[in-house]
Amino acid sequence: MRGRDIISILDLSRDDLYRIFGLAREIEENMDKYINELRGRVLALLFFEPSTRTMYSFQTAMSRLGGSCLVFSDVIRTSIAKGETLGDTIRMFDGYADAIVIRHRIEGAAKYAADIAEAPVINAGDGTHHHPTQAIIDLYTIWKYRGRLEGLNIGVLGDLKYGRASTSFIYGIAMFKPSKLYLISPEELRLKNEVKSDLEKMNIELLETSDLQSVIGELDVLYVTRIQKERFPDPAEYERVRGSYIVDRDLLRNARDSLMVMHPLPRVDEISTDVDDTEYAYYFKQARCGVPVRMALLKLVIKG
Ligand code: NCD
């Protein structure tokens, strides 16, 4: 995988994913063995949109491999404030770093960066499009705790229209032939037609519904997402759908014992805190998986 750009989860095959999972698990078990793996290597983190987990887990991952990071997230203090273009910014960091991680509000920004840079480019979120590394973490979490990815009943809840984490997760899990994919959202936030038709081409059985209660008992995984307030062109549209779903203990009384409730985080109010200490809650475990998974990915992309 050395030198490869990771723009969409579909850039990876199942074999690539299993390779990443295997290495991530090996790293989790033998963290100290990898402390000099990327010594002297430099990772550029270009964040043009807010981030907590993604940015800090990449930074942690690079540190734990013995490398270092150039963190570019405060646009005000850099030349962007003087009018430097994205293309020139990429050219600069391409000269400094062994790999570039980029998050940007514009769809296609990561692909654009990859076309310019010689160094491998990893998409950490481009607008409403893709968030492949989050999807790798999500799949790893299911693989690690459930033992398999194939043949599960997967529910994805919330903002399927603007959510890039949910879109990437949906494409990712589709590669592992879910038994059924439940797309649960308000009418206004249905999955984009182009994604739906891709899934139909992949022969995935889909069920679209607004009614979480009616399907909760059938699910192996419930992937909850935040309504992406910042993506709505009209604030009134957001007001109509905010707070549409709340996953709480009461709802989960009808769930299978083995249900995994996941969330890429940050959550606002869509999972009640009373779920946090139940056996259903996997979202903090999922966030922890971010470090070993990103360590594995960086090692494979920078060093092979
Ligand atoms: C997601 C994102 O930025 O798309 N966050 C993340 O990286 N874990 C999800 C979100 O913001 O709702």
Side-chain angles (χ1 to χ4, degrees):
M1 289 180 62
R2 183 155 169 232
R4 276 203 14 214
D5 299 315
I6 314 288
I7 305 303
S8 152
I9 189 72
L10 299 172
D11 293 339
L12 299 165
S13 64
R14 286 165 53 121
D15 283 351
D16 292 331
L17 288 167
Y18 280 125
R19 187 134 175 251
I20 297 167
F21 299 163
L23 181 57
R25 181 159 65 187
E26 146 74 15
I27 289 174
E28 268 194 282
E29 286 164 4
N30 304 285
M31 195 60 95
D32 290 347
K33 230 175 83 185
Y34 290 86
I35 196 72
N36 287 317
E37 194 66 34
L38 292 183
R39 193 162 64 168
R41 307 300 185 101
V42 175
L43 178 67
L45 295 172
L46 315 186
F47 279 75
F48 297 89
E49 270 197 339
S51 175
T52 307
R53 270 151 297 275
T54 306
M55 194 174 83
Y56 288 103
S57 66
F58 264 116
Q59 220 175 334
T60 307
M62 197 60 184
S63 303
R64 289 196 180 277
L65 293 164
S68 54
C69 292
L70 303 171
V71 183
F72 176 87
S73 62
D74 191 350
V75 172
I76 306 295
R77 271 198 262 145
T78 58
S79 289
I80 296 289
K82 301 183 194 167
E84 184 157 52
T85 64
L86 178 60
D88 284 356
T89 305
I90 300 296
R91 279 180 198 98
M92 292 314 307
F93 282 100
D94 193 32
Y96 302 153
D98 297 289
I100 296 171
V101 174
I102 180 170
R103 169 172 286 190
H104 202 286
R105 78 188 150 75
I106 296 175
E107 283 92 18
K111 172 78 175 71
Y112 174 75
D115 288 343
I116 292 174
E118 275 174 36
V121 170
I122 300 173
N123 185 5
D126 62 324
T128 65
H129 257 180
H130 300 293
H131 193 353
T133 64
Q134 181 63 50
I136 304 171
I137 294 161
D138 304 336
L139 297 172
Y140 177 73
T141 307
I142 300 172
W143 179 78
K144 176 178 167 179
Y145 291 102
R146 183 71 193 219
R148 71 183 161 105
L149 284 158
E150 291 84 0
L152 298 171
N153 279 347
I154 305 281
V156 188
L157 173 75
D159 187 347
L160 310 186
K161 180 178 180 182
Y162 297 116
R164 57 192 174 202
S166 48
T167 303
S168 289
F169 173 70
I170 286 169
Y171 276 125
I173 198 71
M175 281 193 240
F176 296 91
K177 300 277 169 262
S179 188
K180 198 159 166 185
L181 190 53
Y182 298 74
L183 305 171
I184 313 153
S185 73
E187 276 304 326
E188 296 90 330
L189 300 178
R190 291 267 193 259
L191 192 65
K192 293 179 200 130
N193 280 332
E194 73 242 36
V195 183
K196 238 183 287 175
S197 70
D198 286 344
L199 295 170
E200 277 153 15
K201 277 183 225 140
M202 295 165 90
N203 286 323
I204 306 296
E205 190 181 339
L206 300 178
L207 187 139
E208 264 191 324
T209 177
S210 309
D211 186 1
L212 173 60
Q213 187 80 51
S214 68
V215 296
I216 186 74
E218 297 170 33
L219 303 178
D220 297 306
V221 171
L222 176 62
Y223 189 94
V224 185
T225 65
R226 176 179 70 88
I227 310 276
Q228 307 280 299
K229 182 179 180 185
E230 68 279 22
R231 309 278 181 217
F232 284 71
D234 175 4
E237 195 197 336
Y238 172 70
E239 287 306 320
R240 269 200 302 277
V241 291
R242 69 182 290 187
S244 294
Y245 299 101
I246 309 249
V247 175
D248 57 15
R249 273 188 193 229
D250 196 40
L251 172 90
L252 294 172
R253 279 189 297 127
N254 298 318
R256 292 181 175 173
D257 286 347
S258 58
L259 172 72
M260 298 174 72
V261 176
M262 300 177 64
H263 194 308
L265 303 177
R267 75 171 148 185
V268 183
D269 55 7
E270 56 279 357
I271 302 179
S272 163
T273 51
D274 72 5
V275 178
D276 293 0
D277 53 6
T278 69
E279 70 274 28
Y280 302 113
Y282 278 86
Y283 29 97
F284 294 121
K285 293 185 178 109
Q286 183 184 354
R288 288 183 84 108
C289 290
V291 173
V293 167
R294 290 189 166 114
M295 287 174 77
L297 188 66
L298 289 172
K299 184 213 173 284
L300 291 170
V301 163
I302 294 176
K303 207 171 160 185

